[in-house]
Amino acid sequence: MTRWIMRALGLDVGEVDRIADWSVRWETAQWGIFAAVLMGGLSFLSWELYRRSPRELPGGRRFLLATLRMIFLGLVIAIFLQPVVVLTLEKEVPRTLPILVDRSGSMSLRESDGVSRLQKAQGAFASPGGQEMLRSLKEDMRVPTFTFHGSSLREWEELELPLVAAGEKTAVGEAVRKVLERYRGAPLAGVLVVSDGGQNSGVSLGAVARQLKESGVALYTVGVGDPKMRDVAVEEVEVREVLLADDAVPVTVKFRTQGMMGDSGRIVFSLSGVDVAEEEVRIEADGLQQVTTLFVPKQEGEYVMEARFEVDNGVEALAENNTGRAGLRVVDRRLKVLLLDQAPRWEFKYLEAMLLRERRVDLSCFLFEGDREVARIPGSPYLEQFPARAEDLFDFDLILLGDIDPRLLTEDRLSLLGDYVATAGGALTVIAGKRFMPSAFARTELEQLLPVEFAGASVSSAKSLSARPLRLSLTPAGRESVMLRLGDEAQASEALWSNLPPIYWAAGVQRAKPAAEVLLTRPDQNSASGAAPVLALHRYGAGEVLFVGTDNFWRFRRNVGDRYHTILWGQIIQRMAGARLLTEAPRVTLRSNGRRFEQGDRVQVYARLFTASWDPREDERVEAVLAAGDDPDRREDVILRAIPSQPGMYRAELSAGPPGNYRLAVAGDKIATLDFTVADTNREYARASLNEGLLRDLSRDTGGAYLPLARLKELPAAITDRRASLTSLRELELWSSPLFFGLIILILAAEWIVRKISELK
């Protein structure tokens, strides 16, 4: 009956399974009152005519004839009101289940039986069980099949064709996202991914999982590979970019192991092909681990530090991921340090003695109350006067500023120190003192330079602190800071700090400034946090300022000599002066938006350029040369353009080329260079085993299911929602439909037949 009505309304019954709902709308409803009045009048007239018929008719027949006439007249009047029927139609359609087969490089890895993962996946689909599985799915679903690697997604039209693994990236999330876009609006039964789970590029899987959940689409995954495959992958080699010759430096290697628990091996460190260190490794548990060693670079130059993991038994799934590299530069020069104070207090004396012993430090000292004759002794580190010119002061890599009377440290000298930090990118370390520093410098330029806010403590209140021992505490940032590392490991260093002798004086500062990093604190009952900063660091313009809120570090010498005092101050000086090591010429400072890039990344280069008298350069453009380390003949001209309203500042942007080491050189009074590396970031083989946990979690989070490849034939049972009911609205002009005119003819025929039976004309 429903199909007959649909045909009578002019619908194609092949497009509709059933009518879920219907309603009627009148196009010319504004004539409804007139039509009702007209219908009432015509109905009354029809009844009166049949009531006054010349022939005697039974009452029931007279009523039937009048009713048929009124229905006919009503249908005719309805034509003028143009009724439209609104139908809600439903049709069941098969859902779509896209199958995505991973054919990235990691799928070429061979298992213990010598068969690659991709061959196993294709063999599973081609097997009788796989073919039966596909037939079962295709009975009531559409099952398009695709292969993907990197950002490529292609339809796999012929399952019997051999597939070849290709590409250096696995982007499972990107492939799923592209399939969702392709079938946007189509009813999906889910998405099936056949992969080893080696996601290493493209859109994050978390974002795709959220998109799947919001769309109500389940992700079904089939894992290919051995989840317990033995493998070691070196993920990162960490070493400082610039090193000093003949100084021991730490190198940290981060690596990930799988299926190697209980095994052992060694990490061999080499510098440009020459082995320089070796560390034995015992793998107690699988996962991310790290090993640190010390090595001593001997000669200045450009090097590549390589860390290579060698497994003792030699049995491993993949050897290509056992090596990591990092570029570095070894320089052989002395740090120029200026030590300023008013009088030779204890911290000054011990610090001076330590710096004079450091062969890497070229120390200059100036005491405002010192004897000027000392400066005239041959080989003396003392200066006759405070460096009053920019070209004299700005060449220092680090200035250590002590407890000096503001009347001696005049406004001009403070302004020069401010320019040294903010403009020339210098490093300033301020060491507090009981007499003047820092409380006597309130409302001066030095207050702006410091990373702390003053508490306004008087000299007498500051002295009262010297009667109580104060224990210093490392902040979370201090625990991570290499500058404060007293032991080889973080835990050992923290233990040493807790056992150091107490200090007996600290400056009364209130709090650190908002952008400052606090490394050491002392107890303070007047503070809201219960602690006041003792060691705080922040950037100021182009340089950095470190505030040391005590002159009692020399007390760390008790019972141990100068061991920890020397380590602490040595690391502070190397950290603060280290920024100048990055540039051969302090008047030409180069930096970039990173040290390591991938091919095609945008490299942004910034330069701060000064003349010999430390005046900002005024050129509109400055030429530079970019050279590849592995091919010196491959050069490229780079133009640095002046940045408006920033005197001496220049900027350039270029695209990272092929993998390798690069050097950008800018000419000034000396040649300055900037080094960066374009890395070959092939992460495809960083993980050799099947990432079963990732695939299982994705399926669970989206309402799907995970199956190992051996259970592929169980997939049809997991997918139960195979058909979808599509709902659509259709508007039909009822007044011009075959059904409407057929109804009019039927009413007229019925009236004519009854009139003939009643012997009426």
Side-chain angles (χ1 to χ4, degrees):
M1 183 65 178
T2 302
R3 290 188 172 275
W4 183 87
I5 294 174
M6 288 191 295
R7 288 193 182 96
L9 289 173
L11 290 173
D12 184 355
V13 293
E15 297 178 355
V16 181
D17 288 331
R18 70 186 186 91
I19 299 175
D21 195 11
W22 65 275
S23 61
V24 177
R25 187 180 75 250
W26 306 90
E27 290 291 336
T28 56
Q30 65 270 22
W31 298 100
I33 297 176
F34 174 75
V37 173
L38 179 61
M39 183 63 197
L42 292 176
S43 298
F44 178 77
L45 180 62
S46 298
W47 173 255
E48 284 297 316
L49 289 175
Y50 275 111
R51 189 174 66 81
R52 297 178 182 181
S53 174
R55 294 187 61 82
E56 290 293 331
L57 294 174
R61 188 172 297 177
R62 183 182 295 111
F63 178 78
L64 176 60
L65 287 169
T67 301
L68 290 173
R69 177 63 58 86
M70 286 187 283
I71 291 174
F72 166 74
L73 293 173
L75 291 174
V76 172
I77 292 173
I79 292 175
F80 295 101
L81 293 178
Q82 299 182 10
V84 175
V85 62
V86 181
L87 301 177
T88 302
L89 307 176
E90 288 186 355
K91 181 176 178 61
E92 283 196 355
V93 296
R95 291 184 180 271
T96 301
L97 178 70
I99 298 178
L100 308 180
V101 179
D102 182 1
R103 69 178 189 94
S104 57
S106 62
M107 293 292 285
S108 66
L109 295 178
R110 298 185 182 276
E111 305 288 318
S112 57
D113 55 5
V115 181
S116 73
R117 294 172 178 175
L118 189 57
Q119 289 173 335
K120 286 189 174 184
Q122 188 170 358
F125 279 100
S127 67
Q131 291 296 307
E132 178 62 29
M133 179 271 298
L134 288 174
R135 282 193 295 271
S136 174
L137 295 177
K138 290 180 179 179
E139 284 179 0
D140 46 10
M141 285 191 298
R142 298 188 180 95
V143 188
T145 309
F146 301 86
T147 64
F148 69 92
H149 67 87
S151 59
S152 172
L153 179 69
R154 294 185 179 179
E155 194 155 0
W156 186 11
E157 298 177 353
E158 300 293 339
L159 289 177
E160 65 272 11
L161 292 179
L163 293 176
V164 178
E168 298 178 348
K169 295 179 180 179
T170 300
V172 178
E174 189 73 20
V176 173
R177 186 185 61 81
K178 287 186 176 181
V179 164
L180 291 178
E181 290 180 355
R182 177 175 293 202
Y183 292 99
R184 180 179 297 173
L188 293 177
V191 177
L192 174 63
V193 174
V194 182
S195 173
D196 58 7
Q199 166 80 6
N200 52 54
S201 69
V203 63
S204 72
L205 289 175
V208 173
R210 288 192 295 271
Q211 185 178 356
L212 288 168
K213 291 177 69 174
E214 292 171 358
S215 304
V217 178
L219 182 66
Y220 299 89
T221 55
V222 174
V224 186
D226 184 358
K228 297 182 179 180
M229 182 175 285
R230 292 167 48 83
D231 185 55
V232 177
V234 175
E235 296 199 347
E236 189 176 5
V237 178
E238 295 181 349
V239 63
R240 291 203 306 268
E241 181 180 358
V242 180
L243 311 177
L244 289 172
D246 294 325
D247 273 5
V249 293
V251 182
T252 299
V253 178
K254 295 182 179 179
F255 60 95
R256 189 179 298 276
T257 63
Q258 304 156 24
M260 301 285 291
M261 187 170 62
D263 288 345
S264 60
R266 69 193 57 81
I267 297 179
V268 179
F269 298 85
S270 63
L271 199 63
S272 296
V274 179
D275 293 349
V276 294
E278 182 177 305
E279 288 289 335
E280 295 292 330
V281 177
R282 178 73 179 176
I283 302 172
E284 302 295 342
D286 283 332
L288 184 63
Q289 304 175 53
Q290 69 179 39
V291 170
T292 300
T293 190
L294 292 174
F295 89 103
V296 180
K298 293 297 183 182
Q299 295 182 344
E300 61 180 332
E302 302 291 326
Y303 299 96
V304 175
M305 171 62 72
E306 180 179 278
R308 181 178 70 256
F309 196 105
E310 296 179 352
V311 183
D312 281 344
N313 57 22
V315 179
E316 190 188 358
L318 189 64
E320 288 84 348
N321 58 4
N322 285 25
T323 303
R325 297 174 179 84
L328 56 91
R329 183 199 307 169
V330 179
V331 298
D332 190 10
R333 77 175 183 88
R334 304 176 73 185
L335 299 175
K336 296 188 65 177
V337 177
L338 175 61
L339 180 59
L340 300 173
D341 216 320
Q342 182 164 333
R345 51 185 175 152
W346 285 109
E347 194 68 46
F348 176 91
K349 292 178 180 179
Y350 285 119
L351 191 53
E352 178 192 21
M354 185 208 83
L355 293 175
L356 287 174
R357 291 194 303 268
E358 288 287 337
R359 66 177 188 84
R360 285 295 178 189
V361 174
D362 181 8
L363 178 65
S364 297
C365 302
F366 180 74
L367 288 173
F368 284 90
E369 294 180 354
D371 185 356
R372 298 296 179 265
E373 293 297 327
V374 178
R376 300 187 181 97
I377 299 174
S380 172
Y382 283 85
L383 304 176
E384 289 192 42
Q385 60 182 1
F386 181 91
R389 300 184 307 167
E391 50 265 43
D392 296 330
L393 187 70
F394 289 8
D395 281 338
F396 285 101
D397 298 314
L398 172 65
I399 296 176
L400 299 167
L401 184 63
D403 193 17
I404 302 171
D405 191 329
R407 292 172 296 180
L408 300 175
L409 207 57
T410 60
E411 185 176 339
D412 291 343
R413 290 171 175 173
L414 285 179
S415 179
L416 194 60
L417 284 172
D419 290 341
Y420 164 76
V421 176
T423 303
L428 175 66
T429 296
V430 177
I431 306 172
K434 300 181 183 66
R435 298 175 63 190
F436 307 108
M437 186 65 69
S439 57
F441 287 87
R443 294 179 295 279
T444 67
E445 187 167 348
L446 185 63
E447 183 179 12
Q448 303 300 319
L449 284 172
L450 291 177
V452 293
E453 296 178 3
F454 298 170
S458 65
V459 173
S460 59
S461 63
K463 287 183 177 179
S464 66
L465 289 175
S466 63
R468 313 192 302 266
L470 298 173
R471 290 286 181 180
L472 302 182
S473 300
L474 291 168
T475 66
R479 295 187 189 98
E480 298 296 326
S481 175
V482 177
M483 186 165 56
L484 302 185
R485 188 69 57 85
L486 298 182
D488 294 336
E489 303 293 336
Q491 291 181 345
S493 176
E494 191 169 352
L496 287 171
W497 270 103
S498 63
N499 292 323
L500 286 176
I503 64 173
Y504 284 83
W505 180 84
V509 296
Q510 188 171 12
R511 65 177 69 88
K513 290 180 179 177
E517 182 180 50
V518 178
L519 306 176
L520 271 179
T521 61
R522 63 170 176 84
D524 184 5
Q525 297 179 352
N526 298 322
S527 172
S529 62
V534 173
L535 205 66
L537 173 71
H538 77 161
R539 291 202 64 84
Y540 188 86
E544 290 182 307
V545 179
L546 176 70
F547 174 72
V548 180
T550 180
D551 60 359
N552 274 203
F553 281 169
W554 61 271
R555 294 184 181 274
F556 295 163
R557 298 167 50 88
R558 192 181 70 184
N559 299 330
V560 294
D562 61 0
R563 174 179 175 81
Y564 299 122
H565 183 265
T566 299
I567 291 175
L568 177 59
W569 272 113
Q571 291 174 167
I572 288 175
I573 288 166
Q574 190 170 25
R575 162 63 179 83
M576 295 301 294
R580 287 289 185 95
L581 289 177
L582 299 177
T583 58
E584 296 93 333
R587 290 177 180 80
V588 183
T589 304
L590 299 175
R591 61 183 178 89
S592 62
N593 59 326
R595 181 183 172 188
R596 294 174 63 86
F597 301 91
E598 293 186 26
Q599 187 171 358
D601 286 350
R602 303 306 298 173
V603 182
Q604 297 176 357
V605 179
Y606 297 89
R608 177 178 279 104
L609 309 179
F610 296 93
T611 65
S613 59
W614 283 96
D615 295 320
R617 286 181 59 171
E618 298 179 352
D619 308 75
E620 289 295 325
R621 43 185 279 170
V622 174
E623 295 183 356
V625 176
L626 179 68
D630 55 347
D631 185 5
D633 294 331
R634 182 156 55 94
R635 295 172 175 268
E636 177 184 346
D637 292 332
V638 177
I639 302 299
L640 295 161
R641 302 186 184 278
I643 300 177
S645 71
Q646 298 187 42
M649 287 295 298
Y650 295 80
R651 180 181 183 275
E653 186 171 313
L654 54 139
S655 178
N661 297 317
Y662 290 83
R663 168 168 288 184
L664 182 76
V666 178
D669 57 345
K670 294 182 180 179
I671 298 295
T673 61
L674 170 71
D675 296 323
F676 62 88
T677 300
V678 179
D680 183 6
T681 54
N682 181 6
R683 301 285 298 162
E684 184 61 19
Y685 301 103
R687 183 186 181 100
S689 63
L690 163 66
N691 197 345
E692 188 177 58
L694 173 66
L695 298 179
R696 193 183 297 276
D697 290 345
L698 282 173
S699 298
R700 183 190 65 243
D701 292 345
T702 58
Y706 168 80
L707 293 171
L709 186 64
R711 294 168 51 195
L712 182 63
K713 61 183 180 181
E714 301 177 18
L715 180 64
I719 304 174
T720 56
D721 192 10
R722 301 191 178 192
R723 301 188 69 81
S725 181
L726 296 183
T727 302
S728 61
L729 292 177
R730 183 76 64 85
E731 293 185 356
L732 298 174
E733 294 180 338
L734 184 61
W735 60 275
S736 62
S737 66
L739 177 63
F740 195 85
F741 284 100
L743 185 60
I744 291 176
I745 293 172
L746 179 63
I747 296 299
L748 282 176
E751 184 184 6
W752 181 80
I753 291 172
V754 175
R755 287 178 65 86
K756 287 300 181 183
I757 293 174
S758 303
E759 298 181 357
L760 294 176
K761 293 182 180 179

